[in-house]
Amino acid sequence: MRPTTSNEIRKAFLDYFNELNHEVVPSAPLPQRDNPTLLFTNAGMNQFVDVFLGKEKRPYSRATTAQKVMRVQGKQNDLENVGPSARHHTFFEMLGNFSFGDYFKREAIDYAWTFLTGVMKLEPERLFATVYTDDDEAAELWERYLPTDRILRFGKKDNFWAMGDVGPCGPCSEVHYYSGDMQDITPAGVNNDDYPNYVEVWNLVFMQFDAQPDGTLIPLPRPSVDTGMGMERLVRVIQGVESNYDTDLFVPAMNRIQQLLGDSDAQRAEQYVGYRVIADHGRAATFLIADGVQPGNTGAGYVLRMIIRRAARFGRKVGFHAPFLGQVAEVYIEQMGEAYPELRLRRDLILHTLQREEERFNRTLDSGLLHLDQILDDLHSRGETVVPGDLAFNLYATHGLPLELTRDEALEQHGMAVDEEGYNAAREAHALASGSGAFAGYEVGQSIYGDMLLSLVSTGRLDESGVDYDPYTGASLQTTVLGLISDGKRVEVVRVGQPVEIVTTATPFYVESGGEVSDTGRVTNTFGGEVEVRDVRRPVAGLIVHSGVVVAGEIKEGEVVTLEVDRERRADIRRNHTATHLLHRELRAHLGKHVAQAGSLVAPDRLRFDFTHDQALGREALGRIEAAINRAVLANYPVNIAYMGQKEAIAAGAMALFGEKYGDIVRTVTVADPTPGKESLPYSFELCGGLHVGETGEIGLFRFVTEEAVGAGVRRVEAVTGRGAYEFVTDRLNLLDRLASKLNTPVVELENRLETLLEHDRSQERELDAANRRLARGQFDVLLGGVMKVRDVTVLAAKVEAQSVERLREMTDWFRDREKSGVVVLGMISDGKPVIVASVTDDLIARGVKAGNIVREVAGIVGGSGGGRPNLAQAGGHHPEKLGDALAAVAGLVEAALN
């Protein structure tokens, strides 16, 4: 029976290739960490790049995936077509099968044909195959299934595939399906946008080359296969509909939109673009948040914010006035949660993030669109056809309108374009001014490590799995030096004072990962040579280097050395790492299931933990969480390490970190709760490759140090444990002892004593303020003798001795209370600089006398600036010696202002 629903089709594909000995590999996360030129995974083969290049070896040579993909960047940006187009999306699924030097063209073509015609039951007479211009081998293989008039040749544009400008690439063969009337079938429709009934279903890439930055193509060590079949297109073909949005991948979400709006079918059809954008963007946002992306102003965070806001803007157009995307997300969580468990696991976070971002955008959308409308109308009235890039960026920086939204509005309202180069230039200038950086590039000089690894493997000094890495079973190890690097060059010996990077056969040193810092320690030999290891890195997969300085003797390549980890420092790190697991658990227990780890640092002296939450934690909330963590510490729960299948661990409830890549076998850390009745419900259960204590009691004590915001919807706490907590508490207690000694009171009475002193101080301040006020009042009464008349207006301009600007303003109030019509300008010297306050009664404002105008003029005389309201204004300056001249000018300014 032919699979018909999207969930059945996805499962049928994976099952088919699994039966052909392909490992079913889980989808990689959407955010890309391995390739700095990509924001998101944009192809199924992204997670296998190093395998194709021969840099990484997997326990399988065949794989199949249903890969989550985003294309909103660079040449593969489909955003503008989403909505009007029946087949474009920001997020989609890519079904693929891969061969890593196992099978090649024949099997790839055979497998594809059998799946499409045998499993999916597609009519062979409706299929076309395309091959690269000179790929005779692929053409001959297709002739076993198709007549030659349905085997077409195309050039590099259509039939040569590359992930980017560099990396794996090769000729490809595409399978196209014709869905129209058979009497109209023609080869001319293939790869021709004028013939909508022809759909490219599958692309079989024969990976033969590694493209270099200079354009040369280097043959790959083993020719491989990378295929990609768009899930949405296949489902469209199987379900026999004209648009991807008419498949069961989108119809349930669009039905929910219609239900929420109360639209008729005719209204839904009329507003199909808005419905499609909301359905597509809602799905993309749901998956991005599930993979750990939070709305932000750069990188992946910007893309998420942009698509949420673009969906919200189209939501306004179709009739929504309150947040709605969470209800759309619920459809996808239910519909796709079995295939992608992270959706159900992070449901609360997804809904919370969407609600918060929509609410934030709704607060600024009306004013932002109003400003945009004014700009567009003004440009259009002047005959302009392009919105300047700096204006577009200012709309984003000030009102939160993404470039894509401005571009949509400009096109829809007036057929205008946006200067995107100018926008990017303005954004770069803003980034430089604010100190934010661009994406980091590849590490300079990285090739020396790749060369060393290839040399060691090819000569048999290191097996293909690389350096034997085991930081878990001990802190010291005898091993052999395989290579030395100093000042960027390979050397055979290093001596005292030289910087060095040491590669050994095996290492017990932990390499920084998952927020936990690397171990430090030393490398010694039997001849007195010693290297102080200050860092440990993995510059390329399979190679670990110990970076440091030679502090004694010399170290030579080929000799036996002892690697010794700093045990005390490692113990501190262990305490802090296990404490982050306890912290994560208690944050979710106290704040809600939307809390998820968004970053961490596990160092010997402290731990730092970033998590998704949009409100500050007060001292009371922190106190409750801290107390709960310390109860878990005192309970001395056992901490167990176990290895299991990734799918098994996730199904059992293990928490996985956002954006982390996990293998098929994962390491789990369980903090057990042996309390009777709770044995089957662990206190904490996470996937983690870090170092941990054996029992929570080893943590000793947990204490928060700081709590702050680090971005929209992300909070950060820092804490100390063990020795760090002891030192922190000891310092605080010693401080209390010193303060108690200075105040000659017991520590237990210190708070009362301080309150008494503070109240006495406040009382003294009140008395002093009253005395100063009496002095100022007396000074003011004397000043009244110096009032002058300008026409019929009472004017007072004088220098006074006041203790503060507030007192100066109060003196002008006294003048207004006494004189029902008049102008007062008072000046003082504060911290060596002139300060001026002007006040004008309301009746004179109507006659043209305004305080703001007066202070601006007198401020110029003292070398400063000022302004304010018509009845009260303030100015400052830099030339105290000219204060008298400024005050002397007041009468003339009043005279000139009077109507």
Side-chain angles (χ1 to χ4, degrees), residues 14 28 123 129 200 218 413 622 633 674 745 830:
L14 297 175
E123 308 95 313
E200 176 201 329
I218 298 176
Q413 288 190 35
L622 286 173
V633 171
T745 190
S830 177

Side-chain angles (χ1 to χ4, degrees), residues 817-843:
D817 293 340
R818 182 184 178 98
E819 301 290 337
K820 301 307 178 186
S821 179
V823 177
V824 58
V825 181
L826 302 179
M828 61 178 282
I829 304 299
S830 177
D831 295 328
K833 293 182 179 181
V835 178
I836 300 168
V837 174
S839 182
V840 176
T841 56
D842 294 341
D843 63 307

Side-chain angles (χ1 to χ4, degrees), residues 548-622:
V549 175
V550 183
V551 295
E554 62 182 27
I555 300 288
K556 295 180 179 179
E557 181 177 326
E559 65 185 8
V560 175
V561 293
T562 299
L563 305 185
E564 185 77 34
V565 173
D566 183 333
R567 296 169 189 262
E568 189 173 78
R569 180 177 180 274
R570 176 182 273 192
D572 291 335
I573 293 171
R574 286 180 185 271
R575 295 185 187 100
N576 284 334
H577 201 152
T578 304
T580 64
H581 287 220
L582 308 189
L583 171 60
H584 193 182
R585 193 265 191 191
E586 293 301 339
L587 285 171
R588 289 172 61 85
H590 285 77
L591 303 181
K593 300 302 182 185
H594 66 277
V595 170
Q597 183 172 341
S600 68
L601 171 69
V602 178
D605 59 330
R606 71 193 190 285
L607 67 89
R608 186 178 72 215
F609 194 83
D610 298 347
F611 58 96
T612 53
H613 191 62
D614 57 1
Q615 293 180 343
L617 276 65
R619 184 64 247 179
E620 185 177 338
L622 286 173

Side-chain angles (χ1 to χ4, degrees), residues 511-828:
V511 179
E512 180 173 357
S513 178
E516 180 178 331
V517 299
S518 296
D519 280 326
T520 61
R522 62 188 192 136
V523 179
T524 58
N525 61 21
T526 56
F527 309 107
E530 180 178 346
V531 171
E532 179 185 309
V533 178
R534 299 174 179 175
D535 191 20
V536 186
R537 299 184 301 116
R538 184 184 282 110
V540 294
L543 198 74
I544 294 172
V545 298
H546 309 78
S547 303
V549 175
V550 183
V551 295
E554 62 182 27
I555 300 288
K556 295 180 179 179
E557 181 177 326
E559 65 185 8
V560 175
V561 293
T562 299
L563 305 185
E564 185 77 34
V565 173
D566 183 333
R567 296 169 189 262
E568 189 173 78
R569 180 177 180 274
R570 176 182 273 192
D572 291 335
I573 293 171
R574 286 180 185 271
R575 295 185 187 100
N576 284 334
H577 201 152
T578 304
T580 64
H581 287 220
L582 308 189
L583 171 60
H584 193 182
R585 193 265 191 191
E586 293 301 339
L587 285 171
R588 289 172 61 85
H590 285 77
L591 303 181
K593 300 302 182 185
H594 66 277
V595 170
Q597 183 172 341
S600 68
L601 171 69
V602 178
D605 59 330
R606 71 193 190 285
L607 67 89
R608 186 178 72 215
F609 194 83
D610 298 347
F611 58 96
T612 53
H613 191 62
D614 57 1
Q615 293 180 343
L617 276 65
R619 184 64 247 179
E620 185 177 338
L622 286 173
R624 289 195 299 269
I625 295 169
E626 184 176 276
I629 293 171
N630 281 305
R631 283 195 294 272
V633 171
L634 291 173
N636 201 27
Y637 294 146
V639 179
N640 301 319
I641 308 297
Y643 291 86
M644 60 177 63
Q646 181 190 150
K647 296 176 184 177
E648 175 192 355
I650 297 297
M655 294 192 66
L657 298 188
F658 288 147
E660 287 293 319
K661 290 172 60 177
Y662 298 101
D664 300 318
I665 303 299
V666 293
R667 185 173 182 264
T668 65
V669 177
T670 303
V671 179
D673 184 348
T675 305
K678 294 185 178 181
E679 300 92 337
S680 62
L681 297 172
Y683 176 86
S684 170
F685 184 28
E686 297 191 22
L687 306 187
C688 182
L691 304 175
H692 290 272
V693 298
E695 297 172 320
T696 58
E698 296 175 41
I699 295 171
L701 175 67
F702 178 96
R703 177 72 182 181
F704 283 119
V705 177
T706 62
E707 190 275 344
E708 61 184 353
V710 291
V714 180
R715 307 297 300 182
R716 169 177 291 173
V717 291
E718 287 201 7
V720 287
T721 69
R723 288 195 305 157
Y726 172 78
E727 292 169 0
F728 179 83
V729 172
T730 299
D731 287 345
R732 293 295 173 91
L733 291 175
N734 288 339
L735 176 61
L736 287 176
D737 288 338
R738 291 195 301 272
L739 290 174
S741 177
K742 288 179 183 293
L743 296 176
N744 194 29
T745 190
V747 170
V748 293
E749 295 294 329
L750 188 57
E751 187 173 12
N752 291 335
R753 176 64 173 151
L754 281 174
E755 187 55 44
T756 300
L757 291 173
L758 289 172
E759 180 54 39
H760 180 265
D761 185 55
R762 288 191 290 268
S763 176
Q764 294 280 59
E765 286 182 356
R766 287 193 295 270
E767 291 180 12
L768 180 61
D769 184 66
N772 286 333
R773 195 169 189 272
R774 289 193 296 272
L775 287 173
R777 188 77 203 201
Q779 184 181 181
F780 175 74
D781 292 340
V782 172
L783 290 175
L784 289 176
V787 297
M788 66 185 99
K789 285 287 185 178
V790 176
R791 296 194 201 176
D792 60 334
V793 176
T794 300
V795 177
L796 174 61
K799 177 182 178 182
V800 299
E801 299 295 331
Q803 285 69 41
S804 66
V805 176
E806 289 74 18
R807 186 73 70 212
L808 199 63
R809 283 197 290 266
E810 186 179 20
M811 294 173 78
T812 65
D813 290 340
W814 293 340
F815 177 86
R816 285 166 57 89
D817 293 340
R818 182 184 178 98
E819 301 290 337
K820 301 307 178 186
S821 179
V823 177
V824 58
V825 181
L826 302 179
M828 61 178 282

